[in-house]
Each structure stands twice: as structure tokens, then as C-alpha cells.
Amino acid sequence: MRRFVTALVIALSIGFIVVPSAAADSGGLVVTSATVGGQDVASTNWGAPLRLVPGEFVDVELRVANNGNHAVHIRRADLSGRVLGLVFFSYLVPLDVSVAPGATETMHYRLELIGIDDQAIGLMRGDVAVVGDNGDRIAWIPMISDVRGSLLSVYGLFGIALLVLTVLASVDAGLAIRRHRLSGNRWLRGVRLLTPGVGVGLVLLFTATVVRLWVPRTPVWLIIAVGTAAAFFALGYFTPTPDGQHGADEDAEGDAQIDEADMDEATMGTADIEDADLGEPILADVDEPVLVGADSSTLVDTSAD
């Protein structure tokens, strides 16, 4: 079970460093403003997020400016949400717009939020972006969205799986502590509690996003997960040596005392035997020799003589 949690932690670590692909040279194109459903995307925050309701139609207005020296062709527009660098919902709309150097273009399109209830739930960071001919995102504007999806969505199931694995890892570590099965090595004890520590940090942040309290940036996810992992590692490192180790020493000491007591008892028994008064030997008073094998009729009474 710890292997599954470790694999999950590695996958999340990869997710921390994976960022949306973007062209190295956007040609000077920037997204100056964007509105979704009449709400300004640039002004969204975790207190006033962009509300996305499954099945609704939203009108999107996207304005871009080309500050470069070459024309830029926009092939698609993308409305997406991400957590830990992983995309949980994305709506691509085909466009065919060329923006000349120094020009500004405004694009309008209508988007139907189909299937978003199966993809995400709660607060989520994302952006509205434009995509070039080579499929790379060339400009974007960040946003914070409030997805009114289902707990059984992809993101919800992701969090539930993370919670289950964290609980299993915590129970496993707790049973090891209760049964005194932790290693006597401090580093190994710390590593044993490292995995549940990472899980606890991630579960706390996931819960904060689902209940719509807070939506941290990816580096904050990493910092908090590392912080809880370090706290659990320190807890395992500085805990006293498991009682089982002391119990074994006490049992060995008890056996030694029992052996010593047996030896003392045997020594005392020997001394009693040596010091005991055996008394004088008893001598039998035999007047006549005993004839072995003689018949009683052959015995002669010699007392008369």
C-alpha cells in the first residue's frame, strides 16, 4: 500500500513541474481583456470567482493586441482549468483570426458548458488562452473559476482517492506505532511517516478547494505538502525508541536474573550437603556367621559343648 502512495506522490511531484505548453516566441501577442458570461476574467479571485454552471451557455469576448513586428495567426481559443499543472476541464473553440503588427482584434463566441459536471468541482485556477497554428498557447489571461460540478467528477474522484490512500497510510503508521513495530533507526521511523504527511497536506488543500474556501497556486501546494511531510518526518524522527526494543532488553535482563537465581540456589544446595552432619556409622553386631545355602537340619547346636 505504501508503494501506491509513493507512486501517487511521485506523480504529483511531476505535476508540480509540468506547466502548460507555450511557444517561446508569441510574436508579441497579448490578451488585453476577456469576459465570460459578462464577468471580467482578469478581476476574478478566490472571493469572486468565475461561476461555471454545467449545461449553461456563456458568451465569451476576447480581445488581443499584437505588439510585435510580425502578423500572428490565431487558430483556437481555450477556456481551461488546472490543478497541480493537470488539466481537469478544457473548452476549445476553433477560430481563424490574423492579427497584424500593432493591431488589436476582438473575438466573440458562445460556449456551452457540456460535461463540466463530470470533470471538476469547486475552486480551480485556469485561464483563457489563444492557440497558434502549431498548437501551442501563445497568449493567455489567468482566471479563478468556481465549477458547480459533481463530487464524482474526475477532480472529485482524484481527491477521494488521495484521501483513501492517505487514511490507509496513516492507519498503517498508527498500527506500527501501537504495536511497537517501528524501526529503532530514527531516519527509518521518519521516512515511515513521510508518506502520510504528504498526503495530509494535499488532502487539506483539496478539501479547501472543494468547499470553496481557498484555491492556492501550484507552488503553494508544493510548499504546504512539503511542510506537512517535514512535520510528520520530525514526529517519527524524534519519537522515543519503540517500547518493543526496551521490552526485548528487559526480557533478556529478566532471563539473566533467573539464571543467576538458579545458580545461587544450586550453590546453596551444594553447601548444605557439604555442611550437613552425617552422624556416626551404625555397625551391626553379628555373633555367628551366616551360612548360605545350608539346610536347617544340618545346623549343630554347639552351645552344649
Side-chain angles (χ1 to χ4, degrees), residues 70-236:
H70 304 281
V72 178
H73 183 257
I74 298 175
R75 184 177 179 182
R76 292 190 301 267
D78 183 21
L79 173 69
S80 60
R82 297 176 180 80
V83 174
L84 302 177
L86 305 175
V87 178
F88 284 93
F89 72 86
S90 178
Y91 290 93
L92 290 169
V93 176
L95 297 173
D96 186 10
V97 178
S98 293
V99 185
T104 300
E105 294 288 343
T106 302
M107 296 159 283
H108 299 270
Y109 60 91
R110 171 165 281 197
L111 187 64
E112 184 178 5
L113 301 176
I114 299 177
I116 196 172
D117 55 331
D118 296 327
Q119 299 173 2
I121 182 176
L123 297 179
M124 190 167 292
R125 292 184 179 271
D127 52 49
V128 178
V130 290
V131 181
D133 291 331
N134 57 0
D136 291 333
R137 295 151 49 90
I138 55 179
W140 57 87
I141 185 169
M143 70 173 185
I144 295 178
S145 60
D146 177 11
V147 182
R148 295 290 168 167
S150 170
L151 188 59
L152 298 181
S153 61
V154 175
Y155 182 60
L157 293 177
F158 168 80
I160 292 174
L162 184 63
L163 174 62
V164 170
L165 292 175
T166 301
V167 169
L168 292 177
S170 301
V171 170
D172 178 66
L175 290 177
I177 295 175
R178 181 182 178 86
R179 297 173 180 175
H180 311 296
R181 292 182 178 178
L182 287 180
S183 172
N185 185 284
R186 291 185 179 272
W187 283 97
L188 294 180
R189 293 204 304 271
V191 171
R192 183 70 177 272
L193 297 180
L194 189 65
T195 299
V198 174
V200 167
L202 296 178
V203 168
L204 290 176
L205 294 176
F206 168 80
T207 304
T209 62
V210 170
V211 299
R212 299 174 175 86
L213 292 178
W214 184 41
V215 53
R217 298 179 181 274
T218 299
V220 177
W221 282 81
L222 178 60
I223 292 173
I224 293 179
V226 171
T228 54
F232 273 68
F233 178 85
L235 179 64

Side-chain angles (χ1 to χ4, degrees), residues 50-67:
L50 174 63
R51 185 183 176 95
L52 300 177
V53 180
E56 285 192 353
F57 289 89
V58 292
D59 293 320
V60 181
E61 180 182 290
L62 189 60
R63 180 173 295 177
V64 296
N66 188 355
N67 299 326

Side-chain angles (χ1 to χ4, degrees), residues 15 19 21 86 91 149 174 186 199 231 241 251 258 261 267 278-279 281 286 302 305:
V19 295
S21 61
L86 305 175
Y91 290 93
R186 291 185 179 272
T241 303
D251 292 341
I258 292 175
T267 303
L278 300 180
V286 179
T302 60
D305 296 336

Side-chain angles (χ1 to χ4, degrees), residues 4-17:
F4 287 106
V5 180
T6 304
L8 179 61
V9 172
I10 294 175
L12 292 175
S13 301
I14 296 175
F16 285 134
I17 61 176

